[in-house]
Amino acid sequence: PARPTLERDVVVIGAGPAGLMAAYTLKKAGKSVAVIEARQRVGGRTWNGAVRDINGTEHFIEIGGQWISPDQTRLISLVDELGLKTFKRYRDGDSVYLSPDGTRHTYSGDLMPVSDTTNAEMEKLIGLLNTKVMEMDVERPWEMPDATALDSISFTAWLKQHSDDQEAIDNVSIFVASGMLTKPAHTFSALQAILMAASAGSFSNLVDEDFILDERVVGGMQSVSLKMAEYLGDDVFLGSPVRQLNWTTERDPATADQLNNVVADVRNGVANNGAPGEVIAYADEVIVKAANAVLAVPPNLYHRIQYVPPMPREQMVAHQHLSMGLVIKIHAIYETPFWRAKGLSGTGFGGGHMVQEVYDNTNYGPNAANGTEGEDPHGVLVSFISDVHAEAMWALPEEERKHRILSELAAYLGEEAMHPIAFYLSDMGAEEWTRGAYAASYDLGGLSRWGDLQNQPTGPIYYACSDIAAEGYQHVDGAVRQGELAANSILQYATVSA
Ligand code: FDA
């Protein structure tokens, strides 16, 4: 059957939190929208799932993004506006530190139980990074003093310039490398690392797991997208990848000059990018004609769409330097949270180890086993294996992989960790419409070279996703901020040209 052709004010490509926030904001302001999504579900990198235990009982898991931190104020207010609730991550009891030689230490408070010299080195490095964060305008990292120099040195090399204590370097670098960008610290720049910290307020915030992994949404983070999609109703088209996007800046030649003049006032005379033009999105199930498009897919997927005419040279080149990291999210479910009975919080760190972080991820809410709101009696551990370690794990046969991973969890929390009733590995690297996790970052030198382009619209096409966000970079908060920014920019043009 022929695909229907629809006419809307704005077509949004991608129904992750960024695209849905753009459409939700535009529709509330009276614009007509269509959101076109490749997958058979909304939410993108946020995804509520279930895993069966050995008795066939289903347990709720969050395959993708889940945590909210206190600085993520736009997401927090949106969660509230959508009528959703949050709950705190369990954190009572001692944390575990695995030293480089594998010795296990328990500790309380923020300070890892390292030697006094290593501790002093860590404090020095964190202090230096906090200072750099203060020199950075998170919306314009490429303008900070020494941006080019900081962008031409890897984060590892930069840390080594300031310390020769390998344990301190490993323990500081995990908060950006395996912990956030999910790339080895020698593959991205010091500038990129400073942006990661600046987007969360400070480097100290990244180091503080009680801050950065503070809360989860009752019912899962995907609920944020599901609620917005509910409001959008029939304006969301699933299972329909956009293959081609035709665009022109001149929707109506008779008014284009007039419009351009107004737009020039708004944008200080800089071209007419962002102004309404005409776009035609060709997707598998639908064709949508609109005045603007919001491209709300991660940058590593921009080139899966053919643009007619092609995007400007500088955009096509820049997009090739943003790539996804790679991480396996581990979900291990137990009859009970056995670590709590031993006075442990479930939190563990071990810079340099395969599993460098582990947390209590016990469920709360309507997904609890007895169907009422409250904490699920089953204990859940969540853990991550990043970049080269993730590759090594995927290369193993399934049973051996599981054994290796559980052995690492046992090194932190005890032998009981070897016997989960259910086990699941999130594999976003194998997802056609994501291809990695958690988000995209520039290769060495890319941020200072192309960063200023990433949020500039191309003709009537706006970009929005967490991967090019300032505050909330790489996170759901950054995605919703980006979606709202694109929507407000479109609405602003409509106001000035009316
Ligand atoms: P997102 O990728 O979510 O959405 C893009 C959408 O576009 C997808 O639905 C995709 O299918 C669609 N699409 C792609 N190409 C298309 C095409 N050609 N046509 C139509 N549709 C197309 N964040 C956080 O805040 N806290 C956390 O704890 C975590 N943890 C975490 C764990 C894991 C395992 C992952 C993978 C990610 C996280 N994140 C996170 C990151 C967070 O999930 C991510 O930043 C946001 O989901 C990004 O939202 P966007 O809307 O920008 O992209």
Side-chain angles (χ1 to χ4, degrees), residues 13-19 36-39 41 43-46 63-68 72 75 221 240-242 296-298 301 304-305 327 329 384 426 428 433-434 436-439 464-467 474-477 479:
I13 303 167
I36 315 181
E37 167 57 46
R39 289 174 160 106
R41 62 168 182 84
R45 280 168 276 175
T46 63
I63 297 169
Q66 61 169 58
W67 282 299
I68 308 179
Q72 297 177 342
L75 176 58
M221 185 70 94
S240 195
V242 171
V297 313
L301 300 181
R304 297 295 310 281
I305 298 169
V327 68
K329 182 176 181 179
F384 301 93
S426 295
M428 295 302 272
W433 300 107
T434 301
Y438 310 111
C465 60
S466 70
D467 318 78
Q474 297 233 344
H475 287 84
V476 177
D477 177 65

Side-chain angles (χ1 to χ4, degrees), residues 5 150 258 280 324 366 463 473-474 489:
T5 300
L150 287 165
Q258 194 190 354
I280 311 176
M324 278 277 170
Y463 302 92
Y473 169 52
Q474 297 233 344
S489 304

Side-chain angles (χ1 to χ4, degrees), residues 397-462:
E398 190 179 342
E399 277 310 307
E400 191 180 340
R401 180 190 310 135
K402 182 175 174 184
H403 184 80
R404 286 278 301 280
I405 294 172
L406 291 175
S407 304
E408 295 252 338
L409 296 185
Y412 285 96
L413 297 167
E415 203 276 333
E416 301 95 317
M418 296 300 295
H419 312 290
I421 55 169
F423 183 77
Y424 183 87
L425 301 179
S426 295
D427 186 11
M428 295 302 272
E431 287 280 315
E432 176 74 4
W433 300 107
T434 301
R435 304 187 170 204
Y438 310 111
S441 48
Y442 282 103
D443 51 24
L444 213 60
L447 179 58
S448 59
R449 196 168 160 199
W450 294 292
D452 69 326
L453 282 175
Q454 67 189 14
N455 276 299
Q456 281 181 30
T458 296
I461 307 168
Y462 285 84

